[in-house]
Amino acid sequence: MDVLVDNLPSYWAGFLVTMRLTLYSGVISLALGLVLAALRVSPIRPLRGLAATYVELLRNTPLTLVFFFLILVAPQFGVIAPLGFWTAVICLSLYTAAFVAEAVRSGINSVGVGQAEASRAIGLTFGQSLGNVILPQALRSVVPPMINVFIALTKNTSVAAGFAVVELVGSGRRISQGNPGDAVIILIGVALFYLAITIPLGVIASTVERKVAFSR
Amino acid sequence: MSSILYDAPGPVARRRERWGSIIGGLILLGIIALGVYYAHGRGVFGADRWDVLFDPPKGQTAADVWTSMIVHGLGATLRAALVAAPLSLVLGLVLAVWRTAGRWWVKAPAIMIIELFRGLPVLLMMFFGLLGFGWSAFTAVVFGLTVYNMAIIAEILRAGLASLPRGQAEAAYAVGLSKTQTLFTVLLPQAVRTMLPSLIAQLVVLLKDSSLGYIVGYAELLRSIQNNGQYFGNAYYIALFVVGAGIYLVVNISLSRLAMRLQRGPIKGAPAAPADDEAEAAPTTATPGVRP
């Protein structure tokens, strides 16, 4: 157990990097995902196709492949991504945005068509029916899957460990290479830090889900 | 398409949409053309960037390159996925059945296992196998894939069981089936059938996650691309990457399409047969867990 206490500063540093990766990529992918979702429901067909292609491609690509592309392949196009934190943020954002867009789109589609028709029938404008009728209802069914997307993002930040970012898994690997005999205990320490993020988020997601289910 | 947001367009709106589509399409095409022009300027489309695929330098034949990527690379990826997928299906079934136990202290371990492995990164589990237990890279990859996906599959099956009408279980009890019989002959076959799309989607995730083997030193598809790139020179990364990404996309998108098709059409007769076999073959391994 001493090895956990002795290396607490390293763990903490790794934890902070994981949190920063999650936070920055979360915000960027949320913005990008909302734009993609808006494109996917827009009346302009090429934009719809663009967003659909992006989502389909990125959802069926391993995250490792996205990292691989930006770090090893993109330089051949003359785009040199600095190895490290911000490249990881870009990769995670590009990847997660596809899942955000999908969650938002299915949320919008889950609102009954009758709701929109009724709001148009009583004379609400497009903005009013979107802002007062559709989005408030869509939001309820979007929040639980969105939290799950961010839980997945938290876990996905670990992939950055393979590409020169020393976050939780990376620092766990580093510590256990210094203390080969205690690798299991060291990795359990890493696991505890992850669970400290993912389990509370999961509880929130299922609570929200239950609340939404009651109000329907 | 997006009738939820807009009324069915009239003639004016249709004309406006058409013009919007044309202008938007032109802008999009312009951006793509600019990108292609830029890439062309950097010689991306030159034969010397692509000949690794049909006439590689350094005295190698194209067959060597393709063998290293398809047979060794993709082969290793599929091997890990094909070992991990049945394992996680069986273990997921065991956990799901275990979770249906009546007493809380019987099902508590199952819930703990599920919640634990759901909340941990797959890569961390692979490092547990590799560094913690000193296993080979292949075993570590299979271990990581299995423990994560069994937890998710257990959750999927639980959702399937929860979605069944109560009457199914009540009717089974009414005709005198035992609890075990009810679960395995009435409830689980239906749960597996309704959840088949989610199960297939999860297998896509499993296949995608097998690429994490690249990080723990398992010689799978990505690693074989990198090896080829390092051997033949960085300039070939584009061609090699296009092949690798293409393989992933073809395999995953066809699996996803299959899942979507299953979701859309009601499954009757032949397509559902494998699911039944699975649910009926499993009891031999799963029954011990269900008896409290």
Side-chain angles (χ1 to χ4, degrees), chain B residues 62-75 219-221 224-225 227-228 232 240:
Chain B
D64 292 338
V65 176
W66 284 97
T67 313
S68 74
M69 281 197 293
I70 302 289
V71 178
H72 298 131
L74 181 63
E220 42 70 78
L221 184 56
S224 77
I225 292 172
N227 288 343
N228 274 312
F232 289 111
L240 295 167

Side-chain angles (χ1 to χ4, degrees), chain B residues 127-192:
Chain B
F127 274 125
F128 258 107
L130 191 76
L131 300 175
F133 308 135
W135 293 338
S136 72
F138 174 75
T139 321
V141 168
V142 169
F143 172 72
L145 291 176
T146 303
V147 292
Y148 174 70
N149 287 289
M150 73 177 188
I152 304 290
I153 286 171
E155 279 298 283
I156 293 174
L157 289 177
R158 186 175 72 109
L161 288 174
S163 75
L164 296 177
R166 285 180 68 90
Q168 294 289 332
E170 286 165 359
Y173 293 143
V175 297
L177 295 184
S178 71
K179 222 180 154 193
T180 315
Q181 282 173 321
T182 305
L183 191 62
F184 286 111
T185 60
V186 179
L187 300 182
L188 268 180
Q190 296 186 68
V192 170

Side-chain angles (χ1 to χ4, degrees), chain A residues 40 45-46 56 59-62 64-65 69 76-77 95 111 116 120 126 130 155 158 169 183-184 195 198, chain B residues 1 4-7 21 38 42 116 118-119 123 127 131-132 148 208 211 222 234 241 252-253 256-257:
Chain A
R40 270 201 96 162
R45 191 184 298 261
E56 182 80 354
R59 261 168 37 111
N60 286 294
T61 307
T64 328
L65 203 73
F69 177 80
Q76 303 309 314
F77 287 101
Y95 181 76
V111 180
R120 283 196 292 266
F126 177 74
L130 192 67
K155 293 185 288 175
S158 64
V169 170
V184 173
L195 292 176
T198 53
Chain B
M1 147 104 187
I4 171 83
L5 292 180
Y6 317 100
D7 268 322
S21 294
Y38 171 77
R42 300 197 61 94
L116 186 69
R118 236 157 50 108
L123 186 63
F127 274 125
L131 300 175
Y148 174 70
K208 280 168 58 178
S211 69
L222 273 183
N234 288 345
F241 178 82
N252 289 339
I253 289 181
S256 302
R257 283 279 147 80

